[in-house]
Amino acid sequence: MSSPVITRFAPSPTGSLHLGNARTAFFSHLWARKAGGRFILRIEDTDVERSEGRHLDQLLIDLGWLGLDWDEGPDVGGPSGPYAQSERGAFYRELFARLERGGEAYPCYCTALDLELSRKLQRMAGKPPRYAGTCRHLTGAERAERESRGLKPTLRFAVPPDAVIEFIDLVHGPQKFSSADLGDFIIRREDGTAAFFFSNAVDDASMGVTHVLRGDDHLTNTPRQLMLLDALQLRRPGYGHVGLLVGADGTPMSKRHGSTSVSEFRERGFLSEAILNHLLRLGHTSDVDGWLAPADMPRHFQPDHLGRASARFDEAQLLYWQKETLQRMSATEIRTWLGSNASTAFIDLIRHNVVLPPDAAPWAAVLDGELAPLGEEEQRLISAAGPEFFRAAVAALDQSGADFKQLTKTLKERSGRKGADLFMPLRVALTGQAHGPELAALLQMMTPGTARRRFESHAKNI
Ligand code: GLU
Ligand code: ZN
């Protein structure tokens, strides 16, 4: 019998949810849902100074908004709790003691200055800097002497010499590392809190996580974490390291690329379905090219199709998925998304001209408000038609009212213009733009007097 798939997302609440982290959370979630397994949310907040409650709240909101629900976590509990590392100190202490008893970990009294000096010497000797093992063989008396001076030790893992650490990365395939390249590393900080390498690995093991998906930047951490798990005789999860998310120019995603966090995209009016459709294709080849409803995504997630290459996030692509999502929404849903109280007829009229909420404002202004100043192309179309044309338009409008067909018929006869020469200046005068929704319907919905005023404004000789 194969064990159930248990995946997790293990964020450090030190900032808003970055799109890159959202993607690994999403893949992990998809994997659990595809396999009928469980998805765990674990908060890695051992770095007390950088972890903040408001970041945690925001994180839960962002994940919930994306629809990435968790089966176990800080708010819902579960069999492997607590799910915030800041509350798991007792468990870590027990494991630290076990390692110390077995001689697999030892206190290190080196100060930051000692370590800096040692690194300098190593660099001067042309060696890669790593912990020199200074405190590894201190006698009981030497330790006591340091304690009596009030030195607070860190705890270091004693890396076994000449070990070969092998594992099969779920994305990169077979990996092989030599322990000779790794210095003894810190597993407990001076203040007694667990260091990342340690808490991250032992929690995955103790929570029964079977598949860890995370960014490539953690690949070289994995051999250290595996040595720890082996020393503690804890079960190794499978590790898969996915290519990092980069901007359209290939450099790591940062503020220079515009929005980078889930909340920024949400605030700009992007829809979660659009984001998920884009993320699904970033570093993962789906067997379906078209838009997918989130509920259908787990079926089309293929863990063996996760990529090693960095994946390019492209806002143009996101806008494409945004349009695809909007096409599938009802007028009522779009109205809610816009935060508007416009009529269904108006929403249906403008929906194909709106990608983000601010796009709706100019069309509302067309019905009842001020048009934005004309662009170059629009100005040219107005000038080409000339004031005579608009004087005729005013007269035709007075006869036809809001009946666009009648208006254009009359105006065609009076002005001698037809086709684009007839329609384009009308469109620009009425909407301020050369493109947009159906003109006849817009005219019907305009507040009385608005159309006439707009024609008149172009009817004067200058
Ligand atoms: N807290 C770590 C991070 O946010 C977790 C890394 C992992 O997924 O193992 O980078
Ligand atoms: Zn030391």
Side-chain angles (χ1 to χ4, degrees), residues 39-163:
F39 178 61
I40 298 177
L41 176 63
R42 181 178 72 237
I43 306 302
E44 305 217 313
D45 55 354
T46 58
D47 188 347
V48 215
E49 262 158 46
R50 291 177 61 224
S51 304
E52 282 183 44
R54 68 189 165 95
H55 291 316
L56 176 57
D57 297 343
Q58 185 62 53
L59 189 79
L60 301 189
I61 291 171
D62 290 345
L63 288 172
W65 180 74
L66 285 173
L68 309 185
D69 57 330
W70 48 98
D71 307 300
E72 301 172 32
D75 53 342
V76 293
S80 307
Y83 292 90
Q85 290 188 329
S86 56
E87 294 168 27
R88 296 176 67 78
F91 171 58
Y92 303 145
R93 278 193 293 279
E94 196 186 301
L95 298 181
F96 290 140
R98 248 170 72 189
L99 288 174
E100 275 196 279
R101 275 200 305 276
E104 288 152 311
Y106 60 88
C108 164
Y109 297 91
C110 298
T111 63
L113 206 65
D114 294 337
L115 296 173
E116 180 52 34
L117 192 67
S118 159
R119 275 195 292 271
K120 253 191 204 139
L121 290 172
Q122 287 173 330
R123 266 198 296 268
M124 272 159 55
K127 289 190 208 147
R130 67 176 66 112
Y131 182 66
T134 320
C135 303
R136 189 164 182 163
H137 300 293
L138 293 182
T139 63
E142 285 167 325
R143 280 183 194 157
E145 186 273 326
R146 282 160 178 75
E147 298 277 344
S148 73
R149 279 196 277 140
L151 290 178
K152 286 243 173 323
T154 59
L155 191 67
R156 283 188 190 267
F157 179 68
V159 170
D162 310 320

Side-chain angles (χ1 to χ4, degrees), residues 281-336:
R281 278 96 180 175
L282 283 174
H284 169 254
T285 33
S286 168
D287 55 351
V288 174
D289 288 334
W291 188 91
L292 281 171
D296 294 327
M297 290 179 177
R299 264 193 305 129
H300 298 286
F301 174 69
Q302 299 158 291
D304 52 337
H305 286 198
L306 287 167
R308 296 173 231 195
S310 50
R312 283 172 199 242
F313 173 83
D314 185 351
E315 198 163 304
Q317 283 291 314
L318 180 59
L319 287 167
Y320 166 80
W321 294 115
Q322 175 86 352
K323 286 181 203 154
E324 290 287 308
T325 307
L326 283 164
Q327 269 179 32
R328 291 164 173 84
M329 284 163 65
S330 69
T332 309
E333 286 166 338
I334 291 181
R335 183 169 28 238
T336 308

Side-chain angles (χ1 to χ4, degrees), residues 248-282:
D249 61 356
T251 64
M253 260 190 98
S254 72
K255 283 284 155 232
R256 283 182 304 112
H257 296 102
S259 309
T260 56
S261 71
V262 169
S263 58
E264 283 172 312
F265 284 106
R266 181 177 61 239
E267 278 152 25
R268 287 173 59 197
F270 282 97
L271 296 151
S272 59
E273 292 94 327
I275 294 180
L276 295 181
N277 268 282
H278 190 21
L279 292 182
L280 183 67
R281 278 96 180 175
L282 283 174

